[in-house]
Amino acid sequence: MGPRIGPVGEEPQMPGKDAKAIMGAEDTPGGKASPNPQDLRRSVFYSIKFFVLCHSLLQLAQLMISGYLKSSISTVEKRFGLSSQTSGLLAAFNEVGNTALIVFVSYFGSRVHRPRLIGYGAVLVALAGLLMSLPHFISEPYRYDHTSSVDMPQDFEASLCQPTTSVPAPTPDPSNSSCSSYMEAQHLAVVGIMFTAQTLLGVGAVPIQPFGISYIDDFAHNSNSPLYVGILFAVTMMGPGMAYGLGGLMLRLYVDIDRMPEGGISLTSKDPRWVGAWWLGFLISAGAVALAAVPYFFFPREMPREKHELRFRRRILETTASSVSKGEDSPSESPAESQEKQDSLTQIAPDLTVIQFIKVFPRVLLRTLRHPIFLLVVLSQVCMSSMVAGMATFLPKFLERQFSVTASYANLLIGCLTIPLAIVGIVVGGVLVKRLHLGPVRCAVLCLLGALFCLLLSLPLFFMGCSTHQIAGITHLPGHLPGPELFTACTEPCFCPLDDFNPVCDPRTHVEYLTPCQAGCTGRAVQEALDKSQVFYTNCSCVVGGGPVLAGSCESPCSHLVLPFMLLVSLGAALASLTHTPSFMLILRGVKKEDKTLAVGIQFMLLRVLAWMPSPVIHGSAIDTTCVHWAQSCGRRAVCRYYDHDLLRNRFVGLQVFFKTGSLACFALILAILRQQDKDEGTQVTVSTSGLQQQLLTSGPEKKPEESRV
């Protein structure tokens, strides 16, 4: 305790400290020991408080750029013709680079210049963000129909029913073919660039969190370190919410806002062909990360340890001394330990070579996985993380399809409702563990209750939605004839391109047609209004009464259910987040003290490998199985145009319920094991105590060997 108490006094005034300040700048505590103006100018980079501020901003920007793709996943699918399985794989690919290198960070530990390596990682993240936006600039302008993007009047008439006698038969032109080898190569290049960018995004994020947390813990005052880590988490937890908010704003803008055609566009954000400016969010996020990376190249490799405890924290500790009597084992330090996962093996083998490190890691991993409580907690968190990963990736798309809302509105709902409530759940879980001094059994009970109520809130989601409306030629309602029988004869005189997509809706029968041509429409009219204009198609031979039909898809009759649906999802996210801190404490209190940091490192590595990487692909594959009409691009299956809404809802929500049930089962087993362990310990103590008492009463001095054996 001596070294800890000594620096709190007037030690900066001692001659020894002044001599050290003259000998080396890195030993100057914040520049206070030297009046040199140059030292005063540099002193801000020798302040751990300034490092905490910079690191909070950097992690905020890094989480924003990592989560931004999830907010625009449906837009990227539509723009580049990707299936949900491919887009899910793309979203999971930033975990590939992260997981591949995360173990080696624990080897390097403090052997490197940590601030500088954080800066290099942040620069790589910024470059990956720029690379993610590159496909927009190397691709052709987006065409929401299959005609010239210059001649707008021709675009207006392109989807109308035109007699085959007045339209010449199309002749294949290799130079203008959209399926040329150049276009196919460009598509492969675009997809390859995005996968490469996602991999680099994960690689760049590897040193940011572990090195930043360990740097703060090394040079902050022992009492201030948990507070700084808490501030860091409070700021960075806003990153995913800001990513969805940024996505909501950017997707309101048209994708080609930098190269708009002269006549403008005739789309609105509610049109199913609308593609927002997905790439602009990556540019903004990359710029924010690049700015936040600059200070890290000026921080020293080592700075003097902070000597003073924060005043307001000292007052709090004086009034509530009992609440912090646990010291470094208190729950308030759990965020620091949870982020120091990559620094785990340095405590076990700090002087190993890389080869020795790789050899010893599997043995230590297997030894840790033999612990039943640890294994069950990790499995429960794998289930919860799989649920969160699938929900975060595809919930915006699900809302768009199920409730006919725009992509920007879906992102704003998630960013303003779901993410804040999830943050509240994490905070409440930590407060309950801290204030109620919950032991392992009570932590397991809290986790079990949180998982149970989270599961119960998911059950009504199966019934909150509507069936897919009738789409001519694709779906039909019970009791009606299938589409082809209804609409084959009336479209025979028309020349309707098979790959065209310009949906129109008959408001009276709620039947949707892929194009005005398939509805047999020969005329177009625009009704001007003060705030917007409405496009109608007239003289429609395939529509009862001849029309008119409205441009755009038919509105879902369940649009009013989107807010109740999101409220239940958000409350479920809050209850799932409630289990975060108590389940983490089960690991910290369930393994040996020397294995704590290693156990946390293995935990987060397994979460990446078993949850965050496969879950988006699993959810995307399940969503693809509910598609009823695929767009075709160059003979291959591209983006899905229409889904079976009932099947989509049942499979998407069903996957969520499956993972929540798995988590609940794991927590139930944990509680049963902990109670059995407590019962066994109580029985063992009772037996040993009664046995000792009986031996003391009945045995003499000659029984001493037996007493020692007992």
Side-chain angles (χ1 to χ4, degrees):
M1 295 296 293
R4 233 182 243 187
I5 298 173
V8 181
E10 286 86 7
E11 284 225 337
Q13 312 244 339
M14 293 177 63
K17 296 291 179 184
D18 292 336
K20 285 184 180 181
I22 296 171
M23 291 172 64
E26 288 198 2
D27 292 328
T28 305
K32 292 181 181 178
S34 175
N36 192 330
Q38 184 177 0
D39 290 337
L40 290 176
R41 284 196 300 269
R42 294 196 311 168
S43 64
V44 67
F45 294 106
Y46 287 80
S47 169
I48 194 65
K49 298 182 183 66
F50 184 65
F51 184 88
V52 171
L53 173 65
C54 293
H55 205 62
S56 299
L57 296 177
L58 176 61
Q59 286 197 187
L60 178 69
Q62 184 258 322
L63 287 177
M64 186 168 67
I65 197 172
S66 297
Y68 179 75
L69 177 64
K70 296 178 176 63
S71 70
S72 54
I73 199 80
S74 62
T75 302
V76 173
E77 285 180 14
K78 203 182 301 182
R79 177 65 180 91
F80 298 107
L82 305 179
S83 65
S84 294
Q85 184 183 38
T86 304
S87 63
L89 183 62
L90 178 64
F93 231 67
N94 78 348
E95 301 292 344
V96 173
N98 200 301
T99 307
L101 298 177
I102 200 170
V103 177
F104 292 98
V105 176
S106 30
Y107 169 74
F108 289 111
S110 57
R111 308 180 187 195
V112 295
H113 194 303
R114 284 174 287 181
R116 198 168 293 168
L117 204 61
I118 292 172
Y120 290 143
V123 169
L124 185 59
V125 168
L127 292 176
L130 295 178
L131 193 61
M132 273 299 295
S133 64
L134 182 62
H136 167 75
F137 298 100
I138 65 175
S139 300
E140 296 291 328
Y142 173 62
R143 295 181 180 179
Y144 49 86
D145 50 31
H146 296 273
T147 58
S148 171
S149 60
V150 179
D151 189 4
M152 296 305 293
Q154 181 182 347
D155 288 349
F156 290 154
E157 300 175 0
S159 298
L160 295 178
C161 176
Q162 301 174 4
T164 54
T165 55
S166 63
V167 179
T171 56
D173 184 2
S175 61
N176 294 329
S177 175
S178 60
C179 294
S180 63
S181 58
Y182 168 75
M183 294 295 293
E184 201 56 24
Q186 187 185 55
H187 174 78
L188 293 175
V190 162
V191 175
I193 287 173
M194 288 193 291
F195 273 93
T196 303
Q198 282 292 101
T199 305
L200 294 178
L201 201 61
V203 172
V206 167
I208 293 178
Q209 286 189 348
F211 283 165
I213 295 293
S214 63
Y215 193 82
I216 292 172
D217 193 56
D218 284 349
F219 303 116
H221 191 278
N222 289 323
S223 299
N224 295 339
S225 178
L227 176 66
Y228 291 153
V229 173
I231 294 172
L232 185 67
F233 269 79
V235 175
T236 55
M237 280 192 300
M238 296 186 294
M242 291 184 64
Y244 283 103
L246 181 64
L249 294 176
M250 295 301 104
L251 297 182
R252 291 173 180 264
L253 306 174
Y254 185 61
V255 61
D256 288 325
I257 191 173
D258 57 328
R259 46 186 177 182
M260 292 282 283
E262 292 182 5
I265 58 171
S266 58
L267 291 183
T268 63
S269 58
K270 285 195 170 185
D271 195 296
R273 298 171 296 168
W274 174 270
V275 172
W278 61 273
W279 53 274
L280 196 54
F282 282 109
L283 291 182
I284 294 173
S285 302
V289 172
L291 288 176
V294 173
Y296 287 88
F297 296 99
F298 300 96
F299 283 108
R301 177 170 181 166
E302 295 180 357
M303 67 169 63
R305 190 176 182 88
E306 191 179 29
K307 296 183 179 298
H308 297 281
E309 189 178 357
L310 296 179
R311 290 182 181 179
F312 73 92
R313 179 173 176 81
R314 188 159 61 241
R315 289 198 205 103
I316 295 173
L317 292 178
E318 288 172 359
T319 56
T320 59
S322 60
S323 65
V324 294
S325 59
K326 294 180 182 179
E328 294 180 355
D329 290 334
S330 64
S332 60
E333 282 205 348
S334 62
E337 293 178 353
S338 69
Q339 291 299 326
E340 285 183 326
K341 53 185 177 292
Q342 289 86 354
D343 199 33
S344 55
L345 286 182
T346 54
Q347 296 180 1
I348 297 174
D351 298 322
L352 293 179
T353 64
V354 178
I355 303 300
Q356 292 171 330
F357 174 81
I358 295 174
K359 288 180 178 179
V360 78
F361 180 75
R363 292 203 304 271
V364 180
L365 174 64
L366 291 175
R367 178 167 61 89
T368 307
L369 290 178
R370 289 195 188 103
H371 197 291
I373 298 296
F374 172 80
L375 187 60
L376 285 171
V377 171
V378 169
L379 287 177
S380 68
Q381 290 185 340
V382 163
C383 291
M384 279 292 184
S385 298
S386 298
M387 180 268 295
V388 172
M391 185 75 77
T393 306
F394 290 108
L395 182 58
K397 177 175 182 174
F398 178 84
L399 296 178
E400 292 174 47
R401 298 291 182 170
Q402 194 73 39
F403 302 108
S404 299
V405 299
T406 63
S408 60
Y409 183 62
N411 283 317
L412 288 177
L413 282 177
I414 298 171
C416 297
L417 192 60
T418 309
I419 301 295
L421 280 179
I423 294 173
V424 169
I426 294 176
V427 173
V428 170
V431 169
L432 289 177
V433 172
K434 177 75 174 179
R435 295 295 182 188
L436 302 180
H437 304 289
L438 300 182
V441 174
R442 291 187 176 181
C443 282
V445 171
L446 181 59
C447 291
L448 185 67
L449 291 176
L452 176 62
F453 285 108
C454 178
L455 176 62
L456 293 178
L457 285 176
S458 299
L459 298 181
L461 302 181
F462 282 107
F463 311 101
M464 300 179 69
C466 297
S467 301
T468 306
H469 54 272
Q470 187 175 3
I471 304 166
I474 298 174
T475 64
H476 66 283
L477 298 177
H480 292 72
L481 290 174
E485 283 79 359
L486 280 174
F487 308 108
T488 302
C490 60
T491 57
E492 284 181 356
C494 305
F495 175 72
C496 298
L498 296 178
D499 57 349
D500 199 4
F501 183 65
N502 181 16
V504 293
C505 177
D506 183 359
R508 291 170 296 179
T509 60
H510 212 62
V511 175
E512 184 169 329
Y513 302 82
L514 291 179
T515 62
C517 181
Q518 292 195 11
C521 302
T522 58
R524 179 180 180 275
V526 180
Q527 182 180 1
E528 298 292 344
L530 293 177
D531 53 345
K532 61 179 180 179
S533 60
Q534 181 67 58
V535 178
F536 295 90
Y537 290 93
T538 57
N539 301 325
C540 304
S541 58
C542 296
V543 177
V544 178
V549 294
L550 297 174
S553 290
C554 296
E555 290 285 338
S556 171
C558 297
S559 298
H560 62 284
L561 293 177
V562 64
L563 288 179
F565 185 93
M566 283 303 299
L567 185 61
L568 287 178
V569 168
S570 302
L571 290 176
L575 289 170
S577 302
L578 188 70
T579 66
H580 179 268
T581 301
S583 64
F584 183 77
M585 296 310 300
L586 286 173
I587 291 179
L588 292 183
R589 295 173 182 176
V591 299
K592 295 179 181 178
K593 186 175 181 180
E594 61 270 16
D595 290 344
K596 282 183 180 181
T597 316
L598 172 66
V600 175
I602 294 174
Q603 171 200 10
F604 278 84
M605 187 186 70
L606 291 176
L607 288 183
R608 281 190 170 93
V609 174
L610 300 179
W612 291 99
M613 288 173 62
S615 179
V617 182
I618 294 172
H619 280 78
S621 301
I623 290 173
D624 282 343
T625 61
T626 66
C627 184
V628 295
H629 177 65
W630 290 93
Q632 298 293 320
S633 176
C634 301
R636 63 173 179 83
R637 197 175 70 175
V639 67
C640 181
R641 299 287 194 200
Y642 295 103
Y643 292 92
D644 183 332
H645 289 177
D646 289 335
L647 204 56
L648 173 64
R649 184 175 63 256
N650 290 335
R651 292 189 178 175
F652 185 76
V653 178
L655 273 175
Q656 302 290 306
V657 169
F658 171 77
F659 287 123
K660 291 175 183 179
T661 304
S663 180
L664 180 66
C666 290
F667 284 132
L669 288 174
I670 291 169
L671 182 60
I673 291 174
L674 288 174
R675 283 183 172 174
Q676 186 63 39
Q677 287 179 352
D678 285 353
K679 190 181 296 184
D680 293 343
E681 288 177 4
T683 305
Q684 194 173 15
V685 169
T686 304
V687 171
S688 61
T689 304
S690 60
L692 286 172
Q693 289 176 350
Q694 186 176 3
Q695 287 180 8
L696 288 172
L697 291 173
T698 59
S699 61
E702 68 275 10
K703 299 289 185 179
K704 280 190 176 180
E706 290 187 15
E707 289 178 11
S708 62
R709 181 167 57 87
V710 174

